Amino acid sequence: MSSGQMRPTATPVVYRAMWNDDRPGLHELTARTFRAWARTLHPQLGGGETGATAEPPASGESVPNDQPNGFGGEIAADESKVNLRRETAAHGGASETLLELDQQGPTDSSVVVLRVLTNRTDGWVWVDVEIPHEPAAAVSISKVQDLVCTLLDDAERGGGRPRIAAERMGTRPIAVEPTRQSVVPLANALRGADRVMPCVVMAHDYLDGPGPTMDRARTTARQLAGLARVYVLPAQTINPFQVAMGPELDVQPGEARLYLPGEHEPHRHRTLDAEFVRSDPDETGRWFGRLLQSTLVDREPPELYRRSRQLLGDRRERHEPSPDTDAAERAEALEAEVEAVWAALYQAREERTAARVERDEQSEQLYDVLEELEMAQQRVEQLHQLLEESRDQTVRVLMATGTAASPDADPSHTKYPQVTSIRQALSLARINLRKVEIPPEAENRIADLDRAIESRSWARSVFDGLLALEVYAHKGADFGDFRDWCARSKHERAWFANAKKLAMNESEEVMRRPELRQHRLLPVSVGVDPSGRTVMQSHLKLANGSMAPRLYFHDDTRGATGKVHVGYIGPHLPTKRFKS
């Protein structure tokens, strides 16, 4: 590939980070860092280079792999191939270096591409991860994040002032001091429409203290290096920040919030609750990284790239006149073909931009519909609360006249707080529900559910299901079983009685095959079975989808304990069709 055709590609990009870097000798400095990083992944690459120069070649020159300032080579080991390659081109004051680590394995493959672009006044570093084949074959993004962190740290130490637009980048979180001079500018930047870089704000966690809060912020900052800037609010800064941001855009203690660039409705700036943030130091960065991925890989190249493409793409090699007219004609045809390819590339970029605008408009419409649904749900809850208050007032009036009956022990009349995680739903149930027993072993898989993006919705379904079982234990004596109570009682807390949401028995095949049946042998009170385990078939179908969470229970309301015993809450248990 000639330097005038430096990698126009339609290969899917799964990761992109880019920034300005003002260091002199940027091409060789980044090449050295990339080479060292590649060797940490593949020690078999060894020396690899055949020499190095501190500057790109002279204007109009191109250096392939076998030239003095190239490096690379293909290494094969254990049915895997690793190719480390470098190309550099310069013309008209613009220089471009392409460094590429191509990793082809029996089960995965990926290409890590580092571009360095400079002219007389500007310098850019640009890192992409491309997947030539299947998305599942992506290189570990954490390894590429190590490379980005090293490049940014080197730029900071070397005076490169890494930034995008006027916004500085870094690998360390910024602690916001509890002063107006620190809080107000940050709040204005987060609320403004001119910001180009995503920002993450993590608030002090009173439960864990400042040490763990800073440790999580440091981990998140390195995971999002080159993608977003991370700020930390110490305990004294939380209240001033909340006042400056307002109730719709603030963060609560222990929470982390991602503020997207541009103008967005408040709910688009996603928040992770404190329990989720403290569950795993790596989770915050992973979550926000996934949310940012589709936006960042569509980021337009810098203007310097377009200008350098024009200069380097239009460059013509000067050859001595040749009597071979056919060869000259072929060369002209190839040059015309290259120009056509670049014209098609720019046209495709314009079409992609138009498609992105259309996608964003559709997303806005979808978010508007979701907002309307959420407002309708809030209205339903308000009406339900008014109904409960009216019922309580009626009871008080009857009691005042001496005709009221004793209050019903039905737990459904209690107003419960909104749960935000399945772990929180179980804690609330254990405190308030007397007829539902949940052993600790039943929640061994809930962490898998709480990490999912649907976790809040699932948490509400879990608590609604447990509350239905509790009310059934109080009120179900006159009905055949839980399904019958749900179908005929018309109680406001009844669970769905249809087959899509409730199963009282497993299939014959599941119960016949020992390897499937054993997964239904679940923990139970010794008052039900002295062994502490029993086969549970009845289960609530909380949702469908990839994890299809289920809640298994045993009905002993007419037995020795008079309770419902929950044995499992988690992803779908194995069946012939579903592999857990």
Side-chain angles (χ1 to χ4, degrees):
M1 182 173 66
S2 75
S3 59
Q5 306 174 38
M6 294 189 69
R7 198 176 178 79
T9 178
T11 305
V13 177
V14 299
Y15 176 92
R16 171 166 292 171
M18 59 176 67
W19 61 89
N20 280 113
D21 189 333
D22 294 340
R23 287 179 292 168
L26 186 60
H27 293 265
E28 189 56 37
L29 291 173
T30 51
R32 190 181 306 151
T33 299
F34 189 84
R35 188 164 54 231
W37 170 78
R39 287 176 189 152
T40 63
L41 300 181
H42 306 285
Q44 69 270 28
L45 287 171
E49 76 276 15
T50 58
T53 61
E55 297 295 336
S59 175
E61 295 182 2
S62 170
V63 181
N65 288 341
D66 56 356
Q67 296 300 311
N69 75 334
F71 66 87
E74 190 171 281
I75 305 296
D78 299 329
E79 301 181 356
S80 299
K81 290 195 303 182
V82 179
N83 188 30
L84 182 60
R85 191 168 62 84
R86 169 179 173 176
E87 290 190 8
T88 301
H91 181 68
S95 300
E96 179 177 354
T97 295
L98 176 73
L99 303 114
E100 188 178 276
L101 179 64
D102 190 348
Q103 304 166 104
Q104 304 292 334
T107 60
D108 59 359
S109 59
S110 63
V111 182
V112 182
V113 181
L114 172 64
R115 288 180 177 85
V116 184
L117 309 167
T118 60
N119 60 12
R120 294 181 180 89
T121 60
D122 208 3
W124 280 86
V125 177
W126 175 0
V127 180
D128 278 355
V129 179
E130 301 173 357
I131 307 173
H133 303 300
E134 295 296 328
V139 69
S140 171
I141 296 300
S142 64
K143 301 297 184 184
V144 180
Q145 289 166 340
D146 292 340
L147 169 64
V148 171
C149 287
T150 302
L151 290 168
L152 288 170
D153 286 339
D154 289 349
E156 192 66 42
R157 286 192 296 267
R161 299 188 305 118
R163 66 200 180 279
I164 184 164
E167 300 167 23
R168 292 293 292 269
M169 286 186 168
T171 63
R172 299 172 181 82
I174 300 174
V176 183
E177 297 181 359
T179 63
R180 180 177 178 82
Q181 292 80 358
S182 297
V183 173
V184 172
L186 174 60
N188 290 339
L190 295 178
R191 296 169 64 92
D194 298 331
R195 179 168 49 88
V196 298
M197 191 190 310
C199 293
V200 172
V201 176
M202 304 181 70
H204 171 79
D205 189 340
Y206 286 100
L207 184 62
D208 285 352
T213 299
M214 282 303 301
D215 288 342
R216 289 192 286 265
R218 291 188 189 100
T219 300
T220 302
R222 291 191 67 82
Q223 288 175 309
L224 299 179
L227 309 180
R229 202 68 204 260
V230 177
Y231 295 87
V232 185
L233 303 180
Q236 302 91 331
T237 311
I238 294 177
N239 184 254
F241 181 82
Q242 291 174 333
V243 172
M245 294 297 290
E248 292 186 325
L249 288 169
D250 67 2
V251 291
Q252 299 299 317
E255 291 182 343
R257 188 162 190 174
L258 171 64
Y259 294 90
L260 299 172
E263 295 185 8
H264 299 278
E265 294 296 324
H267 69 271
R268 310 272 170 83
H269 304 294
R270 301 297 181 86
T271 301
L272 298 179
D273 61 43
E275 185 174 357
F276 184 89
V277 172
R278 73 171 69 99
S279 66
D280 185 335
D282 295 329
E283 278 301 304
T284 301
R286 276 199 293 260
W287 257 79
F288 286 152
R290 286 195 293 266
L291 290 174
L292 291 170
Q293 182 178 10
S294 61
T295 303
L296 295 179
V297 297
D298 285 339
R299 180 183 290 171
E300 289 292 337
E303 182 61 29
L304 176 58
Y305 178 72
R306 295 190 181 90
R307 293 200 300 268
S308 67
R309 292 280 21 94
Q310 293 170 356
L311 288 171
L312 299 176
D314 292 341
R315 179 179 56 81
R316 300 291 184 265
E317 300 288 351
R318 291 186 173 87
H319 297 286
E320 292 296 327
S322 171
D324 189 347
T325 305
D326 290 340
E329 291 177 352
R330 288 197 299 271
E332 290 180 2
L334 287 174
E335 290 174 351
E337 184 177 347
V338 169
E339 291 178 354
V341 169
W342 280 110
L345 178 63
Y346 286 120
Q347 181 180 357
R349 181 178 296 126
E350 291 176 358
E351 293 173 352
R352 183 186 66 181
T353 301
R356 188 184 305 133
V357 170
E358 182 179 357
R359 179 199 65 190
D360 291 343
E361 291 176 351
Q362 293 174 348
S363 297
E364 292 284 344
Q365 295 172 2
L366 176 60
Y367 281 124
D368 290 341
V369 171
L370 292 175
E371 280 184 350
E372 291 177 4
L373 288 174
E374 185 175 354
M375 291 172 62
Q377 178 63 30
Q378 291 175 354
R379 179 58 178 161
V380 169
E381 292 177 357
Q382 290 171 356
L383 291 174
H384 183 70
Q385 185 175 358
L386 289 173
L387 177 62
E388 291 181 350
E389 292 174 353
S390 177
R391 183 186 297 122
D392 293 342
Q393 185 176 5
T394 301
V395 171
R396 286 194 296 269
V397 170
L398 292 173
M399 290 180 67
T401 60
T403 60
S406 60
D408 197 329
D410 187 345
S412 65
H413 294 323
T414 303
K415 181 69 174 179
Y416 298 100
Q418 190 76 274
V419 294
T420 59
S421 70
I422 296 172
R423 189 175 301 279
Q424 187 183 70
L426 297 186
S427 299
L428 188 65
R430 288 191 174 109
I431 293 171
N432 292 278
L433 307 185
R434 298 291 177 261
K435 293 284 189 176
V436 174
E437 190 165 321
I438 311 168
E441 189 178 345
E443 58 182 273
N444 285 349
R445 296 290 304 278
I446 67 169
D448 298 335
L449 304 183
D450 272 339
R451 292 192 189 100
I453 197 168
E454 307 93 339
S455 60
R456 291 197 178 201
S457 173
W458 292 347
R460 290 191 289 270
S461 294
V462 166
F463 189 74
D464 288 346
L466 294 173
L467 193 53
L469 292 170
E470 173 77 9
V471 177
Y472 162 70
H474 284 275
K475 299 283 190 178
D478 296 332
F479 297 87
D481 60 7
F482 180 66
R483 182 199 292 278
D484 186 42
W485 176 80
C486 291
R488 296 197 298 116
S489 70
K490 297 183 180 179
H491 197 284
E492 61 184 332
R493 295 293 190 182
W495 187 255
F496 308 93
N498 59 69
K500 292 183 178 181
K501 299 295 289 183
L502 175 64
M504 298 303 292
N505 296 286
E506 290 284 21
S507 68
E508 180 181 347
E509 182 177 26
V510 166
M511 300 309 294
R512 176 172 51 82
R513 293 174 57 178
E515 71 275 16
L516 299 178
R517 177 187 173 94
Q518 67 176 354
H519 290 285
R520 279 76 180 169
L521 187 62
L522 299 169
V524 73
S525 168
V526 292
V528 175
D529 190 305
S531 69
R533 305 190 83 79
T534 191
V535 174
M536 296 188 188
Q537 300 187 55
S538 303
H539 56 276
L540 309 182
K541 302 178 181 181
L542 302 172
N544 293 316
S546 59
M547 300 184 77
R550 299 292 188 258
L551 185 154
Y552 278 74
F553 64 92
H554 173 76
D555 183 359
D556 193 48
T557 54
R558 295 170 177 82
T561 65
K563 296 181 178 182
V564 176
H565 298 264
V566 175
Y568 173 83
I569 303 172
H572 199 301
L573 290 177
T575 63
K576 180 181 179 180
R577 183 181 62 86
F578 203 103
K579 307 299 182 184
S580 180

